[in-house]
Amino acid sequence: MGAAATEKADAALIETVVRLGDNALILGQELSKWTSNAPTVELDIALANQSLDLIGQARLLLDYAGKLEGKGRDEDALAFHRDAWDFRNVLLVEQPNGDFAKTMLRQFFYALWAESFYGALQESRDETLSSIAGKSVKEMAYHVRHAGEWVVRLGDGTEESHRRLAAALEELWPYTHELFMTDAADKAMIAAGIIPDVRTLRPAWDEGVAEVLAAAGLAIPENSWQPEGGRRSVHTEHLGYILAEMQHLPRMYPEATW
Amino acid sequence: MTMTSERDWPLYEVFIRSRQGLSHVHAGSLHAADARMAIENARDVYTRRGEGTSIWVVRSDLITASAPEDKGEMFDPADNKVYRHPTFYDIPDDVECL
């Protein structure tokens, strides 16, 4: 490979790792807002656990991204000292928690995607990604189980819980399509055997979603509107609020430690 | 509005086995809508620090327990029977696992 081609491949790899790290970081941060507010104390602990799973994944990924970049930025620099126009997460994970039904459905959609993505990523030719995937796939499998069961319980529960879940589905469904989109950076990484092709993961994801929604008494909505842009830093207005809360302390007191 | 809260969920007793070869030990109790949710709640509440390799849950109202007021007749008679303890033997030095 020529120097220019290598540089391009490196840039695509950094892009890929940052995207994965940002997905985990933003979802983990938003999910953590349930801590002390969940419907029961057991759920409070469960959601905090899941939030910490995601933030743990984000730390590994952003640490790796910083090393690949080689400009001396560590995981904290990437998490706390970038602005919205540099974040590369999908729009789904920055959608607000809303009510418990919306949080569970968002978690289910993302976790089901992440479980299959990390599952395939274990075969990556990049050893660091492959080992991060091996740790993360188990965590996401549990999130799928937990959130999936809540989706069924709520959909198949009371009139109110069904109504809330149906509203969440209406709201969140459009944002699921971005999970399966690919651009030039993805294609380069797929060709290099670094990441799986998300398009091949879609049929199994669709099937898993259909199964759970059917048990919840809901149908998959029409694929009319397919918003995208998070992966190239065109975000919804919600990301700014998440970052403001997440970043304000380290920006106010840059040298602060526990 | 009818609220379904944790208070309406039955109580479950949780037993955790910390590693292969040991017995399940009572870890505590929690509320859950059904047994499956109880297993998951137990996983999140009691095994977060790597305490477990297996979880049992059972609805608390399915456990039959000895009555506290029967304590005297149930347990006191065993108090003065020292000969039931295996302490009257000289153990040879080279027996290790006794």
Side-chain angles (χ1 to χ4, degrees), chain A residues 16 35 39 60 74 185 191 195 199 201 211 238:
Chain A
T16 297
T35 307
L60 294 171
D74 62 5
I195 58 169
R199 290 165 300 184
L201 305 177
E211 201 178 298
H238 309 298

Side-chain angles (χ1 to χ4, degrees), chain A residues 7 53 89 103 117 143 145 158 176 181 201 250:
Chain A
E7 211 167 280
D53 285 344
N89 56 280
T103 297
F117 187 87
H143 296 200
R145 171 178 164 161
T158 64
T176 59
M181 292 179 185
L201 305 177

Side-chain angles (χ1 to χ4, degrees), chain A residues 127-149:
Chain A
E127 276 176 32
T128 307
L129 283 181
S130 151
S131 79
I132 294 172
K135 168 191 180 286
S136 307
V137 68
K138 289 184 207 160
E139 294 170 340
M140 298 322 293
Y142 187 77
H143 296 200
V144 169
R145 171 178 164 161
H146 186 266
E149 280 177 22

Side-chain angles (χ1 to χ4, degrees), chain B residues 43-88:
Chain B
R43 180 261 193 195
D44 285 317
V45 175
Y46 293 114
T47 68
R48 298 188 307 142
R49 300 178 185 87
E51 296 96 329
T53 58
S54 168
I55 299 173
W56 287 350
V57 295
V58 61
R59 268 180 66 150
S60 309
D61 59 6
L62 294 176
I63 291 180
T64 307
S66 61
E69 62 269 26
D70 295 343
K71 203 166 157 257
E73 65 193 61
M74 292 279 280
F75 307 114
D76 287 353
D79 276 354
N80 56 357
K81 302 191 167 61
V82 286
Y83 48 84
R84 289 181 183 165
H85 294 275
T87 50
F88 295 93

